[in-house]
Coordinates of all heavy atoms in Angstrom, one line a residue:
M88 N 83.3 6.7 38.4 CA 82.0 7.1 38.7 C 81.2 7.3 37.3 O 81.7 7.9 36.4 CB 82.0 8.4 39.5 CG 80.6 9.0 39.7 SD 80.4 10.3 40.9 CE 81.7 11.4 40.5
K89 N 80.0 6.9 37.3 CA 79.1 7.0 36.2 C 77.9 7.9 36.5 O 77.3 7.7 37.6 CB 78.7 5.7 35.7 CG 77.8 5.8 34.5 CD 77.3 4.4 34.0 CE 76.4 4.5 32.8 NZ 76.1 3.2 32.2
I90 N 77.6 8.9 35.7 CA 76.5 9.7 36.0 C 75.4 9.4 34.9 O 75.7 9.3 33.7 CB 76.9 11.2 35.9 CG1 78.1 11.6 36.8 CG2 75.7 12.1 36.1 CD1 77.7 11.4 38.3
V91 N 74.2 9.3 35.3 CA 73.1 8.9 34.5 C 72.0 10.0 34.7 O 71.6 10.3 35.8 CB 72.5 7.5 34.8 CG1 71.3 7.3 33.9 CG2 73.5 6.5 34.6
T92 N 71.5 10.5 33.5 CA 70.3 11.4 33.6 C 69.1 10.6 33.3 O 68.9 10.1 32.2 CB 70.5 12.5 32.6 OG1 71.8 13.2 32.9 CG2 69.4 13.6 32.7
I93 N 68.2 10.5 34.3 CA 67.0 9.7 34.2 C 66.1 10.2 33.0 O 65.7 9.3 32.3 CB 66.2 9.7 35.5 CG1 67.0 9.2 36.7 CG2 64.9 9.1 35.4 CD1 67.3 7.7 36.6
S94 N 66.0 11.4 32.9 CA 65.2 11.9 31.7 C 65.6 11.5 30.4 O 64.8 11.3 29.5 CB 65.0 13.4 31.8 OG 66.2 14.1 31.7
D95 N 66.9 11.3 30.2 CA 67.5 10.8 29.0 C 67.2 9.4 28.7 O 67.2 8.9 27.6 CB 69.0 11.1 28.9 CG 69.4 12.6 28.9 OD1 68.5 13.4 28.6 OD2 70.5 12.9 29.1
A96 N 67.0 8.6 29.8 CA 66.8 7.1 29.7 C 65.4 6.8 29.4 O 65.1 5.6 29.1 CB 67.3 6.5 31.0
R97 N 64.4 7.7 29.6 CA 63.0 7.4 29.5 C 62.7 7.1 28.1 O 63.1 7.8 27.1 CB 62.2 8.6 29.9 CG 62.3 8.9 31.4 CD 61.6 10.3 31.7 NE 60.4 10.5 30.8 CZ 59.2 10.8 31.2 NH1 59.0 11.0 32.5 NH2 58.2 11.0 30.4
R98 N 62.0 6.0 27.9 CA 61.5 5.5 26.5 C 60.2 4.8 26.7 O 60.1 4.0 27.6 CB 62.5 4.5 25.8 CG 63.8 5.1 25.5 CD 63.8 6.0 24.3 NE 65.1 6.5 23.9 CZ 65.7 7.5 24.5 NH1 65.2 8.2 25.4 NH2 67.0 7.8 24.1
F99 N 59.2 5.1 25.9 CA 57.9 4.5 25.9 C 57.5 3.9 24.6 O 57.9 4.4 23.5 CB 56.9 5.5 26.3 CG 57.2 6.2 27.7 CD1 57.9 7.4 27.8 CD2 56.7 5.5 28.8 CE1 58.2 7.8 29.0 CE2 57.0 6.1 30.1 CZ 57.7 7.3 30.2
S100 N 56.7 2.8 24.7 CA 56.2 2.2 23.5 C 54.8 1.7 23.8 O 54.6 1.0 24.8 CB 57.1 1.0 23.1 OG 56.5 0.2 22.1
L101 N 53.9 1.9 22.9 CA 52.5 1.3 23.0 C 52.5 -0.2 22.9 O 51.6 -0.9 23.4 CB 51.6 1.9 22.0 CG 51.3 3.5 22.2 CD1 50.5 4.0 21.0 CD2 50.6 3.6 23.5
E102 N 53.6 -0.8 22.3 CA 53.6 -2.2 22.0 C 54.1 -3.0 23.3 O 53.7 -4.2 23.5 CB 54.5 -2.5 20.9 CG 54.0 -2.0 19.5 CD 54.8 -2.2 18.4 OE1 55.7 -3.0 18.5 OE2 54.6 -1.5 17.4
S103 N 55.0 -2.5 24.1 CA 55.5 -3.2 25.2 C 56.1 -2.3 26.3 O 56.5 -1.2 26.0 CB 56.5 -4.2 24.8 OG 57.7 -3.5 24.3
V104 N 56.2 -2.8 27.5 CA 56.9 -2.1 28.6 C 58.4 -2.0 28.2 O 59.0 -3.0 27.6 CB 56.8 -2.9 29.9 CG1 57.6 -2.3 31.0 CG2 55.3 -3.0 30.3
Q105 N 59.0 -0.9 28.4 CA 60.4 -0.6 28.0 C 61.3 -0.7 29.2 O 61.1 -0.1 30.3 CB 60.5 0.7 27.4 CG 59.7 0.9 26.1 CD 60.2 0.0 25.0 OE1 61.3 0.2 24.5 NE2 59.4 -0.9 24.6
H106 N 62.3 -1.6 29.1 CA 63.4 -1.7 30.1 C 64.6 -1.0 29.6 O 65.1 -1.2 28.5 CB 63.7 -3.1 30.4 CG 62.6 -3.9 31.1 ND1 62.7 -4.2 32.4 CD2 61.5 -4.3 30.6 CE1 61.6 -4.8 32.7 NE2 60.8 -4.9 31.7
R107 N 65.1 0.0 30.4 CA 66.3 0.8 30.0 C 67.4 0.6 31.0 O 67.3 1.2 32.1 CB 65.9 2.3 29.9 CG 64.6 2.6 29.1 CD 64.8 2.4 27.7 NE 65.9 3.3 27.2 CZ 66.5 3.3 26.1 NH1 66.2 2.4 25.2 NH2 67.5 4.1 25.8
P108 N 68.4 -0.2 30.7 CA 69.5 -0.4 31.6 C 70.2 1.0 31.9 O 70.5 1.7 31.0 CB 70.4 -1.3 30.8 CG 69.7 -1.8 29.7 CD 68.6 -0.9 29.4
L109 N 70.5 1.2 33.2 CA 71.3 2.4 33.6 C 72.7 2.1 34.0 O 73.6 2.7 33.6 CB 70.4 3.0 34.7 CG 69.1 3.5 34.5 CD1 68.4 4.0 35.8 CD2 69.0 4.5 33.4
D110 N 72.9 1.0 34.9 CA 74.2 0.7 35.3 C 74.2 -0.6 36.0 O 73.2 -1.0 36.6 CB 74.7 1.8 36.2 CG 76.2 1.8 36.4 OD1 76.9 1.1 35.6 OD2 76.8 2.4 37.3
T111 N 75.3 -1.2 36.1 CA 75.6 -2.4 36.8 C 76.9 -2.3 37.6 O 77.9 -1.9 37.0 CB 75.6 -3.7 36.0 OG1 74.4 -3.8 35.3 CG2 75.9 -5.0 36.8
V112 N 76.8 -2.5 38.9 CA 78.1 -2.4 39.7 C 77.9 -3.3 41.0 O 76.9 -3.4 41.6 CB 78.3 -0.9 40.1 CG1 77.2 -0.4 41.0 CG2 79.7 -0.7 40.8
A113 N 79.0 -4.0 41.3 CA 79.1 -4.8 42.4 C 77.9 -5.8 42.7 O 77.4 -5.9 43.7 CB 79.3 -4.0 43.7
G114 N 77.4 -6.4 41.5 CA 76.3 -7.3 41.6 C 74.9 -6.6 41.7 O 73.9 -7.3 41.8
L115 N 74.8 -5.3 41.6 CA 73.5 -4.6 41.6 C 73.3 -4.1 40.2 O 74.2 -3.5 39.6 CB 73.5 -3.5 42.6 CG 73.6 -3.8 44.1 CD1 73.7 -2.6 44.9 CD2 72.5 -4.7 44.5
T116 N 72.1 -4.2 39.8 CA 71.7 -3.7 38.4 C 70.6 -2.6 38.6 O 69.7 -2.8 39.3 CB 71.2 -4.8 37.5 OG1 72.2 -5.8 37.4 CG2 70.7 -4.2 36.2
A117 N 70.8 -1.4 37.9 CA 69.8 -0.4 38.0 C 69.2 -0.3 36.6 O 70.0 -0.2 35.7 CB 70.5 0.9 38.5
E118 N 67.9 -0.3 36.5 CA 67.3 0.0 35.3 C 66.0 0.8 35.4 O 65.5 0.9 36.6 CB 66.9 -1.4 34.5 CG 65.8 -2.1 35.2 CD 65.4 -3.4 34.4 OE1 65.7 -3.5 33.2 OE2 64.8 -4.3 35.0
L119 N 65.6 1.5 34.4 CA 64.4 2.2 34.4 C 63.3 1.4 33.6 O 63.6 0.8 32.6 CB 64.6 3.5 33.6 CG 63.8 4.7 34.0 CD1 64.0 5.1 35.4 CD2 64.3 5.9 33.1
I120 N 62.2 1.3 34.2 CA 61.1 0.5 33.5 C 60.0 1.6 33.3 O 59.5 2.2 34.2 CB 60.6 -0.6 34.4 CG1 61.6 -1.5 34.9 CG2 59.5 -1.4 33.7 CD1 61.3 -2.5 35.9
C121 N 59.7 1.7 31.9 CA 58.7 2.7 31.5 C 57.5 2.1 30.9 O 57.5 1.2 30.0 CB 59.4 3.5 30.4 SG 60.9 4.3 31.0
F122 N 56.3 2.5 31.4 CA 55.0 1.9 31.1 C 54.1 3.0 30.5 O 54.0 4.1 31.0 CB 54.3 1.5 32.3 CG 54.9 0.4 33.1 CD1 56.0 0.7 34.0 CD2 54.4 -0.9 33.1 CE1 56.6 -0.4 34.7 CE2 54.9 -1.9 33.9 CZ 56.1 -1.6 34.7
E123 N 53.4 2.6 29.4 CA 52.3 3.4 28.9 C 51.1 3.1 29.7 O 51.1 2.1 30.5 CB 52.1 3.1 27.4 CG 53.1 3.6 26.5 CD 52.9 5.0 26.1 OE1 52.0 5.7 26.5 OE2 53.8 5.5 25.3
A124 N 50.0 3.9 29.6 CA 48.8 3.6 30.3 C 48.3 2.2 30.1 O 48.3 1.7 28.9 CB 47.7 4.6 29.9
G125 N 47.9 1.4 31.1 CA 47.3 0.1 30.9 C 48.3 -1.0 30.8 O 47.9 -2.2 30.8
Q126 N 49.6 -0.7 30.7 CA 50.6 -1.8 30.5 C 50.9 -2.5 31.8 O 50.9 -1.9 32.9 CB 51.9 -1.3 29.9 CG 51.7 -0.9 28.4 CD 53.0 -0.4 27.7 OE1 53.8 0.2 28.4 NE2 53.1 -0.6 26.5
V127 N 51.2 -3.8 31.6 CA 51.5 -4.7 32.8 C 52.8 -5.4 32.5 O 53.0 -6.0 31.4 CB 50.4 -5.7 33.0 CG1 50.8 -6.7 34.2 CG2 49.1 -5.0 33.3
E128 N 53.7 -5.5 33.5 CA 54.9 -6.3 33.4 C 54.5 -7.7 33.7 O 54.0 -7.9 34.8 CB 56.0 -5.7 34.4 CG 57.2 -6.5 34.4 CD 58.2 -6.2 33.2 OE1 57.6 -6.0 32.1 OE2 59.3 -6.3 33.4
P129 N 54.8 -8.7 32.9 CA 54.5 -10.1 33.2 C 55.1 -10.5 34.5 O 56.2 -10.1 34.9 CB 55.0 -10.9 32.0 CG 55.2 -9.9 30.9 CD 55.4 -8.6 31.6
A130 N 54.4 -11.5 35.2 CA 54.9 -12.0 36.5 C 56.3 -12.6 36.2 O 56.6 -13.3 35.2 CB 54.0 -13.0 37.0
R131 N 57.2 -12.3 37.2 CA 58.5 -13.0 37.1 C 59.0 -13.2 38.6 O 58.5 -12.5 39.5 CB 59.5 -12.1 36.4 CG 59.7 -10.7 37.0 CD 60.6 -9.9 36.1 NE 61.0 -8.7 36.8 CZ 61.9 -7.9 36.5 NH1 62.7 -8.1 35.4 NH2 62.2 -6.8 37.2
A132 N 60.0 -14.1 38.7 CA 60.6 -14.3 40.0 C 62.1 -14.0 39.8 O 62.7 -14.9 39.2 CB 60.4 -15.7 40.5
A133 N 62.6 -12.9 40.2 CA 64.0 -12.6 40.1 C 64.8 -13.5 41.0 O 64.4 -13.8 42.1 CB 64.3 -11.1 40.4
V134 N 66.0 -13.8 40.5 CA 66.9 -14.6 41.3 C 67.3 -13.9 42.6 O 67.3 -14.4 43.7 CB 68.3 -15.0 40.6 CG1 69.3 -15.7 41.4 CG2 67.9 -15.8 39.3
G135 N 67.7 -12.6 42.5 CA 68.0 -11.8 43.7 C 66.9 -10.9 44.1 O 65.9 -10.8 43.4
A136 N 67.0 -10.2 45.2 CA 66.0 -9.3 45.7 C 65.9 -8.1 44.8 O 66.9 -7.8 44.1 CB 66.3 -8.9 47.1
S137 N 64.8 -7.5 44.7 CA 64.6 -6.3 43.9 C 63.8 -5.3 44.7 O 63.0 -5.5 45.5 CB 63.7 -6.6 42.7 OG 64.3 -7.6 41.9
T138 N 64.2 -4.0 44.4 CA 63.5 -2.8 45.0 C 63.0 -1.9 43.8 O 63.8 -1.7 42.9 CB 64.5 -2.1 45.9 OG1 64.9 -2.9 47.0 CG2 63.8 -0.8 46.5
Y139 N 61.8 -1.5 43.9 CA 61.3 -0.6 42.9 C 60.8 0.7 43.5 O 60.1 0.7 44.4 CB 60.0 -1.3 42.2 CG 60.3 -2.7 41.6 CD1 60.1 -3.9 42.4 CD2 60.9 -2.8 40.4 CE1 60.4 -5.1 41.8 CE2 61.2 -4.0 39.8 CZ 60.9 -5.2 40.6 OH 61.3 -6.4 40.0
Q140 N 61.2 1.7 42.9 CA 60.8 3.1 43.3 C 60.0 3.8 42.2 O 60.5 3.8 41.1 CB 61.9 4.0 43.8 CG 61.4 5.3 44.2 CD 62.5 6.3 44.7 OE1 63.7 6.0 44.6 NE2 62.0 7.5 45.2
V141 N 58.8 4.3 42.5 CA 58.0 5.0 41.5 C 58.6 6.4 41.4 O 58.6 7.2 42.3 CB 56.5 5.0 41.9 CG1 55.7 5.8 40.9 CG2 56.0 3.5 41.9
L142 N 59.0 6.8 40.2 CA 59.5 8.1 39.9 C 58.4 9.0 39.3 O 58.4 10.2 39.5 CB 60.7 8.1 39.0 CG 61.9 7.2 39.4 CD1 62.9 7.3 38.3 CD2 62.4 7.7 40.7
E143 N 57.4 8.4 38.7 CA 56.3 9.2 38.0 C 55.2 8.2 37.8 O 55.3 7.0 37.4 CB 56.9 9.6 36.6 CG 55.8 10.4 35.8 CD 56.4 10.7 34.4 OE1 57.6 10.9 34.3 OE2 55.6 10.9 33.5
G144 N 54.0 8.7 38.1 CA 52.8 7.9 37.9 C 52.4 7.1 39.1 O 52.9 7.4 40.3
E145 N 51.5 6.0 38.9 CA 51.1 5.2 39.9 C 51.2 3.7 39.5 O 50.8 3.4 38.4 CB 49.6 5.4 40.3 CG 49.4 6.6 41.2 CD 48.0 6.7 41.7 OE1 47.5 5.8 42.4 OE2 47.2 7.6 41.3
A146 N 51.8 2.9 40.4 CA 52.0 1.5 40.1 C 51.2 0.6 41.0 O 50.9 1.0 42.2 CB 53.5 1.2 40.2
M147 N 50.8 -0.5 40.5 CA 50.2 -1.6 41.3 C 51.2 -2.7 41.3 O 51.6 -3.2 40.3 CB 48.9 -2.1 40.7 CG 48.1 -2.9 41.6 SD 47.3 -2.0 42.9 CE 46.0 -1.1 42.1
V148 N 51.7 -3.1 42.5 CA 52.7 -4.1 42.6 C 52.1 -5.3 43.4 O 51.5 -5.1 44.4 CB 54.0 -3.6 43.5 CG1 55.0 -4.7 43.6 CG2 54.6 -2.4 42.8
R149 N 52.2 -6.5 42.8 CA 51.6 -7.7 43.4 C 52.8 -8.7 43.7 O 53.7 -8.9 42.8 CB 50.7 -8.4 42.4 CG 49.4 -7.5 42.3 CD 48.4 -8.3 41.3 NE 47.2 -7.5 41.2 CZ 47.1 -6.5 40.4 NH1 48.0 -6.1 39.6 NH2 45.9 -5.8 40.3
S150 N 52.9 -9.1 44.9 CA 54.0 -10.0 45.3 C 53.5 -10.8 46.5 O 53.0 -10.3 47.5 CB 55.2 -9.2 45.7 OG 56.2 -10.0 46.2
G151 N 53.8 -12.1 46.5 CA 53.4 -13.0 47.6 C 52.0 -12.9 48.1 O 51.8 -12.9 49.3
G152 N 51.0 -12.7 47.2 CA 49.7 -12.6 47.6 C 49.3 -11.2 48.1 O 48.1 -11.0 48.6
V153 N 50.1 -10.3 48.2 CA 49.9 -8.9 48.6 C 49.9 -7.9 47.4 O 50.8 -8.0 46.6 CB 50.9 -8.5 49.7 CG1 50.7 -7.0 50.1 CG2 50.9 -9.3 50.8
T154 N 48.9 -7.0 47.4 CA 48.8 -6.0 46.3 C 49.0 -4.7 47.0 O 48.3 -4.4 48.0 CB 47.5 -6.1 45.5 OG1 47.5 -7.4 44.9 CG2 47.5 -5.1 44.5
S155 N 49.9 -3.8 46.5 CA 50.1 -2.5 47.0 C 50.0 -1.5 45.8 O 50.6 -1.7 44.8 CB 51.4 -2.3 47.7 OG 51.4 -3.2 48.8
R156 N 49.4 -0.4 46.1 CA 49.4 0.8 45.1 C 50.4 1.8 45.6 O 50.5 2.2 46.7 CB 48.0 1.4 45.1 CG 47.8 2.4 44.0 CD 46.4 3.0 44.0 NE 46.1 3.7 42.8 CZ 45.3 3.3 41.8 NH1 44.7 2.1 41.9 NH2 45.2 4.0 40.8
L157 N 51.3 2.1 44.6 CA 52.5 2.9 44.9 C 52.4 4.2 44.1 O 52.3 4.1 42.9 CB 53.8 2.3 44.7 CG 54.1 1.0 45.5 CD1 55.4 0.4 45.1 CD2 54.0 1.3 47.0
G158 N 52.5 5.4 44.7 CA 52.6 6.6 43.9 C 54.0 7.1 43.9 O 54.9 6.5 44.5
K159 N 54.2 8.3 43.4 CA 55.6 8.8 43.2 C 56.2 9.0 44.5 O 55.6 9.4 45.5 CB 55.4 10.3 42.6 CG 56.7 11.0 42.4 CD 56.5 12.4 41.7 CE 57.8 13.1 41.6 NZ 57.5 14.4 41.0
G160 N 57.5 8.5 44.5 CA 58.3 8.7 45.8 C 58.2 7.4 46.7 O 58.9 7.4 47.7
R161 N 57.3 6.5 46.4 CA 57.2 5.3 47.3 C 58.0 4.1 46.6 O 58.1 4.1 45.4 CB 55.7 4.9 47.4 CG 55.0 6.1 48.1 CD 53.7 5.7 48.8 NE 53.9 4.7 49.8 CZ 52.9 3.8 50.1 NH1 51.7 3.9 49.5 NH2 53.1 2.9 51.0
L162 N 58.4 3.2 47.5 CA 59.1 2.1 46.9 C 58.6 0.8 47.5 O 58.1 0.8 48.6 CB 60.6 2.2 47.0 CG 61.3 2.3 48.4 CD1 61.5 0.9 48.9 CD2 62.6 3.0 48.2
A163 N 58.9 -0.3 46.8 CA 58.5 -1.7 47.3 C 59.8 -2.5 47.2 O 60.4 -2.5 46.1 CB 57.4 -2.2 46.5
S164 N 60.0 -3.4 48.1 CA 61.1 -4.4 48.1 C 60.5 -5.8 48.0 O 59.5 -6.1 48.6 CB 62.0 -4.3 49.2 OG 62.6 -3.1 49.3
V165 N 61.0 -6.6 47.0 CA 60.6 -7.9 46.8 C 61.7 -8.9 47.1 O 62.8 -8.7 46.5 CB 60.1 -8.1 45.4 CG1 59.6 -9.5 45.1 CG2 59.0 -7.1 45.0
P166 N 61.5 -9.8 48.0 CA 62.5 -10.8 48.3 C 63.0 -11.7 47.0 O 62.2 -11.8 46.2 CB 61.9 -11.7 49.4 CG 60.7 -11.0 49.9 CD 60.3 -10.1 48.8
A167 N 64.1 -12.2 47.2 CA 64.7 -13.0 46.1 C 63.7 -14.3 45.8 O 63.0 -14.7 46.7 CB 66.1 -13.6 46.4
E168 N 63.6 -14.6 44.5 CA 62.8 -15.8 44.1 C 61.3 -15.7 44.4 O 60.7 -16.7 44.5 CB 63.4 -17.0 44.6 CG 64.9 -17.2 44.1 CD 65.5 -18.5 44.6 OE1 64.9 -19.4 45.2 OE2 66.8 -18.6 44.4
T169 N 60.8 -14.5 44.6 CA 59.4 -14.3 44.9 C 58.7 -13.8 43.6 O 59.1 -12.8 43.0 CB 59.2 -13.3 46.0 OG1 59.8 -13.7 47.2 CG2 57.7 -13.1 46.3
E170 N 57.7 -14.5 43.1 CA 57.0 -14.1 41.9 C 56.3 -12.7 42.2 O 55.7 -12.6 43.2 CB 56.0 -15.1 41.4 CG 55.4 -14.8 40.1 CD 54.6 -15.9 39.5 OE1 55.2 -17.0 39.0 OE2 53.4 -15.8 39.6
H171 N 56.5 -11.8 41.2 CA 55.8 -10.5 41.4 C 55.6 -9.9 40.0 O 56.1 -10.3 39.0 CB 56.7 -9.6 42.2 CG 58.0 -9.3 41.6 ND1 59.1 -10.2 41.6 CD2 58.6 -8.3 41.0 CE1 60.1 -9.7 41.1 NE2 59.9 -8.5 40.7
T172 N 54.7 -8.9 40.0 CA 54.3 -8.2 38.8 C 54.1 -6.7 39.1 O 53.8 -6.4 40.3 CB 53.1 -8.8 38.2 OG1 52.9 -8.2 36.9 CG2 51.8 -8.7 39.0
I173 N 54.2 -5.9 38.1 CA 54.1 -4.4 38.3 C 53.1 -4.0 37.1 O 53.3 -4.5 36.0 CB 55.4 -3.6 38.2 CG1 56.3 -4.1 39.2 CG2 55.1 -2.2 38.3 CD1 57.7 -3.6 39.0
E174 N 52.1 -3.2 37.4 CA 51.3 -2.6 36.3 C 51.1 -1.1 36.5 O 51.2 -0.6 37.6 CB 50.0 -3.4 36.2 CG 49.0 -3.1 37.3 CD 47.7 -3.8 37.2 OE1 47.6 -4.9 37.6 OE2 46.8 -3.2 36.5
N175 N 50.8 -0.5 35.4 CA 50.5 0.9 35.4 C 49.1 1.1 36.0 O 48.1 0.7 35.3 CB 50.6 1.5 34.1 CG 50.5 3.1 34.1 OD1 50.0 3.6 35.0 ND2 51.0 3.7 33.0
A176 N 48.9 1.6 37.2 CA 47.6 1.8 37.8 C 46.9 3.1 37.5 O 45.8 3.4 37.9 CB 47.7 1.6 39.3
G177 N 47.7 4.0 36.8 CA 47.1 5.3 36.5 C 46.7 5.4 35.0 O 46.9 4.5 34.2
G178 N 46.3 6.6 34.6 CA 45.9 6.8 33.3 C 47.0 7.4 32.4 O 46.9 7.5 31.2
G179 N 48.2 7.8 33.0 CA 49.3 8.4 32.2 C 50.4 7.4 32.2 O 50.3 6.2 32.3
L180 N 51.6 8.1 32.1 CA 52.9 7.3 32.1 C 53.3 6.8 33.5 O 53.0 7.5 34.5 CB 53.9 8.1 31.5 CG 53.7 8.6 30.0 CD1 54.8 9.7 29.6 CD2 53.5 7.5 29.0
L181 N 54.0 5.8 33.6 CA 54.6 5.3 34.8 C 56.1 5.0 34.5 O 56.5 4.3 33.6 CB 54.0 3.9 35.2 CG 54.6 3.2 36.3 CD1 54.5 4.0 37.7 CD2 53.9 1.8 36.5
V182 N 56.9 5.5 35.4 CA 58.4 5.3 35.4 C 58.8 4.8 36.7 O 58.5 5.4 37.8 CB 59.1 6.7 35.0 CG1 60.6 6.5 35.0 CG2 58.6 7.3 33.7
V183 N 59.5 3.6 36.7 CA 59.9 3.0 37.9 C 61.4 2.7 37.8 O 61.9 2.3 36.8 CB 59.2 1.6 38.0 CG1 59.7 0.8 39.2 CG2 57.7 1.8 38.1
L184 N 62.1 3.0 38.9 CA 63.5 2.7 39.0 C 63.6 1.3 39.7 O 63.1 1.2 40.8 CB 64.2 3.8 39.8 CG 65.7 3.5 40.2 CD1 66.6 3.4 38.9 CD2 66.3 4.6 41.1
A185 N 64.3 0.4 39.1 CA 64.4 -0.9 39.6 C 65.9 -1.2 39.9 O 66.8 -1.0 39.1 CB 63.9 -2.0 38.6
I186 N 66.1 -1.6 41.1 CA 67.5 -2.0 41.6 C 67.4 -3.5 42.0 O 66.6 -3.9 42.8 CB 67.9 -1.2 42.8 CG1 67.9 0.3 42.6 CG2 69.3 -1.6 43.2 CD1 68.8 0.9 41.6
S187 N 68.2 -4.3 41.3 CA 68.1 -5.8 41.5 C 69.5 -6.3 41.9 O 70.5 -5.9 41.4 CB 67.6 -6.5 40.3 OG 66.4 -6.0 39.9
A188 N 69.5 -7.3 42.8 CA 70.8 -8.0 43.2 C 70.9 -9.3 42.4 O 69.9 -9.9 42.3 CB 70.8 -8.2 44.7
G189 N 72.1 -9.7 42.1 CA 72.3 -11.0 41.5 C 72.1 -11.0 40.1 O 71.7 -11.1 39.1

């Protein structure tokens, strides 16, 4: 068993969105994605399905022509091979837990 403290994994940079690997087990990868105000994760299409949970702040998630605003405690699931993007929709920090298959 591996224990991870989310607050220890948080890292922010004004230059780019920060990806912080947390763990990989049985084909699932968990990472923390940390955004400064105004930052956007470039569009990507993951091979496997992905689920994103907002831990802090507000995110705008765009996938398959649908845009959703997510606040703390909400999550969005994106099917495999679907292009999507995440951006910081608030004025402060955004912390997202991403779980991806494949």
Side-chain angles (χ1 to χ4, degrees):
M88 175 171 43
K89 179 178 181 179
I90 305 296
V91 176
T92 303
I93 298 294
S94 60
D95 292 345
R97 294 169 35 126
R98 296 284 185 275
F99 298 92
S100 169
L101 292 173
E102 295 177 14
S103 65
V104 174
Q105 298 295 295
H106 290 258
R107 307 292 299 171
L109 300 175
D110 197 14
T111 299
V112 62
L115 294 175
T116 300
E118 73 175 338
L119 211 58
I120 309 174
C121 302
F122 299 75
E123 289 277 357
Q126 289 181 329
V127 178
E128 176 78 327
R131 65 181 185 168
V134 174
S137 299
T138 298
Y139 301 98
Q140 181 178 5
V141 176
L142 301 178
E143 177 182 335
E145 281 191 64
M147 193 72 71
V148 179
R149 292 181 178 82
S150 173
V153 176
T154 300
S155 296
R156 189 178 193 108
L157 303 177
K159 181 178 178 179
R161 297 200 60 205
L162 63 84
S164 295
V165 179
E168 300 180 12
T169 302
E170 189 170 284
H171 60 283
T172 187
I173 302 171
E174 73 177 86
N175 187 341
L180 301 175
L181 170 63
V182 179
V183 176
L184 174 63
I186 307 290
S187 303

